[in-house]
Structure formats: C-alpha cells, structure tokens
Amino acid sequence: MSENPTTHAPAAAESDAPEAVPTSVPREPVAQEAPDLGATAVSAAAPRRGEPMFPDGTGPAADPAGSHHERRIRSFQPRRSRVSPSQADALRRRWATWGLDIDGLSRIDLDAFFDGRPVVLEIGFGMGEATAQMAAADPDTGILACDVHTPGQGNLLGLAERNGLSNIRVANGDAIILLREMLAPASLAGLRIYFPDPWPKKRHHKRRLIQPEFLALATTRLAPGALVHCATDWEPYAEQMLEVLSAEPTLENLHQGFAPRPDFRPLTRFEGQGLDKGHIVHDLLFRRRDT
C-alpha cells in the first residue's frame, strides 16, 4: 500500500497561476450510515468548540492550511458534525495511507501516491458513492477526491476499503490551494466537478467555483488531452459554465454545446431526486488542447 508521499521542500507558487477563487461543496444529501467495518466503533460525538475531532493527527485536520494562506471569499464551510462511528473508524484507520491534508506546504508526488496511475482530480464528492463506482469501473485510473465534508470523507474511505478500491485518495481542504501549491503543472489526466453549489442569488454568484480565474489555474495542472467534465442541474449555472469553459483558450468542447451524460458518470441519488422534480441535468465535456 502506498504511503502518503509529499516532498519536504515547500512548493513555490507558480508564476502563471492567477489569484485563487472559491471551491464548492456538492449538494448531495447525507447518505444512510454504511455498515460497520468490523473494528470497535469510535465515538462520533461532535467535539466541543475549539477541540479537534482527531487530536492524535490520525484524521483530517479542521483547517489544514491554517493562517499561512490568504483569506478570500469561499463557497464552502467545513462541516464536521454527525460523523458516524463507522465513518470515524475509517478515517482513523485509513487516513495515514489514503488521506491528505491540503496544507499548501509541500508538493504531492502523484506517481508515488497512486502507484504510477494517471490521476483525475474530483472536486466535491459528497458522500462518495459515485466516486467509488467510477473507481471500481476504472481501476487503472487514480482518483484524487477533494472535499471538506468530514462524514463524506469517512464514508468514501469506508467504501474504498470494503470494495478493495486502492485507486482512491481523499484530500481534505481547499481545492484552490491544492491546485496552486501542491500539484505540478501538467500532472493531471482529468478534472471532474459534479453538482457544485450553484449559489443561485445574484449577489452570491462570485462564490461559484466555475470562474475564468479558476479555469486559468486548473488548466495549467492538466496534461494535454486531459478531460474536464462538469455537471449541474441548475440551468443558469449550466449556461455560465458553458460560457466560461468555452472562453478558456486551452480547452476545446467535445460537443456542440452541452454533452449527453457519459456512461462513466453514475446517476447519483441526488441527481435522481432532481430529475424526479423535473430538473434538467447538463453535462459539459471539454478537453485540454495539446498546445
């Protein structure tokens, strides 16, 4: 099993990287508790204010980047309550090898972390069911799954363990810091962003993840030919996504406008609920140009 490898030298910010913009958290509902993993259950009571949930460092940190990175408008808030015993147990046992705190202080050796597999970054995975399904369907591709939702992190690690999915790693914290400080240029084989928070009120549109500044940064971390796949059920946000992605000169649209849902993206429970309500889900598939 691969250890959690980051280099010891600080990763300097790339000169071609723009200022950071917010990340987002998908709006999937909390899944039912997964079956116990067999070990003694760990108390899942929420810690008192100011107390870390994992004081021994065996789980995700509450604020991994701390105060050494800039303060800015963000579209997420860490949600660390209602962690079930099985989720907490999975975090404590698997975080050392399959988890990563996004502290922005060192660069990740993706080859070592994923045993040489090509790596796709998924930003916002909810409870992780769709991520686990995609990992099972494509075991030769590594998935670096980034989120700040502690129950979802534990649930995904539990799913990976029970299903023998050695190609999943969980990153805890701000995806912008991950992209800018901890990933090398042209190191990713793909980027997935499914059902990010649409921030529907106009005054909150600045909090949306898909913005020109975000794409200008993210595309520097994509290898030529890397696939960018976004999906949303919020029509105005879908239109914005299409406009912003189409305007990014390093990307090309694989379809005329929106794309049909590809078979490799599972139909999530959240998506099914939206479809039952008459929502229209839009997929967007773009590819990183060779030059």
Side-chain angles (χ1 to χ4, degrees):
M1 203 71 67
S2 297
E3 291 298 323
N4 187 335
T6 55
T7 59
H8 296 290
E14 300 291 332
S15 60
D16 59 349
E19 290 298 317
V21 295
T23 61
S24 62
V25 178
R27 298 168 293 119
E28 293 196 69
V30 176
Q32 294 182 352
E33 180 180 331
D36 202 317
L37 300 178
T40 303
V42 180
S43 173
R48 295 179 180 178
R49 183 178 297 274
E51 293 182 355
M53 181 172 288
F54 299 95
D56 53 2
T58 60
D63 185 13
S67 59
H68 56 266
H69 284 284
E70 80 287 350
R71 297 296 178 183
R72 53 185 163 76
I73 297 173
R74 295 176 180 174
S75 65
F76 68 88
Q77 289 291 337
R79 296 174 289 158
R80 302 177 61 81
S81 60
R82 301 193 304 277
V83 177
S84 72
S86 62
Q87 292 162 359
D89 183 56
L91 285 165
R92 291 185 187 279
R93 291 186 299 101
R94 285 300 183 187
W95 190 256
T97 52
W98 288 357
L100 168 75
D101 277 321
I102 301 172
D103 57 15
L105 298 178
S106 56
R107 178 146 298 163
I108 305 169
D109 184 346
L110 290 179
D111 283 340
F113 209 17
F114 287 92
D115 301 318
R117 297 178 177 95
V119 178
V120 171
L121 173 63
E122 181 177 356
I123 299 178
F125 56 81
M127 296 305 290
E129 294 97 335
T131 304
Q133 290 181 54
M134 289 186 289
D138 186 10
D140 293 330
T141 296
I143 300 178
L144 180 57
C146 175
D147 210 311
V148 294
H149 186 215
T150 311
Q153 293 166 349
N155 198 62
L156 178 55
L157 287 176
L159 289 169
E161 182 179 52
R162 289 192 299 276
N163 293 286
L165 305 176
S166 61
N167 57 329
I168 292 177
R169 302 291 183 268
V170 175
N172 168 54
D174 190 337
I176 300 302
I177 295 175
L178 174 65
L179 284 163
R180 191 182 62 203
E181 312 289 350
M182 302 183 72
L183 294 177
S187 59
L188 295 173
L191 174 65
R192 296 169 181 167
I193 304 171
Y194 300 151
F195 304 100
D197 196 319
W199 293 98
K201 294 181 179 180
K202 186 175 181 179
R203 68 177 183 270
H204 292 156
H205 286 183
K206 60 188 176 183
R207 295 181 179 271
R208 289 176 173 175
L209 176 60
I210 306 301
Q211 308 275 3
E213 296 83 1
F214 167 76
L215 282 178
L217 168 62
T219 53
T220 65
R221 288 358 186 208
L222 298 177
L227 187 69
V228 177
H229 184 195
C230 301
T232 182
D233 68 328
W234 192 257
E235 185 83 24
Y237 197 12
E239 296 290 347
Q240 177 185 329
M241 286 182 175
L242 180 59
E243 179 182 352
V244 173
L245 287 162
S246 298
E248 170 52 49
T250 64
L251 298 177
E252 59 179 336
N253 195 345
L254 299 185
H255 297 268
Q256 295 297 319
F258 297 111
R261 182 177 70 85
D263 293 337
F264 65 80
R265 183 175 72 77
L267 184 69
T268 66
R269 192 165 47 241
F270 165 76
E271 183 178 358
Q273 292 173 351
L275 292 172
D276 289 342
K277 297 175 182 178
H279 295 185
I280 298 175
V281 176
H282 292 288
D283 283 79
L284 302 99
L285 288 170
F286 283 71
R287 189 178 303 279
R288 178 70 159 86
R289 298 182 190 273
D290 292 339
T291 57

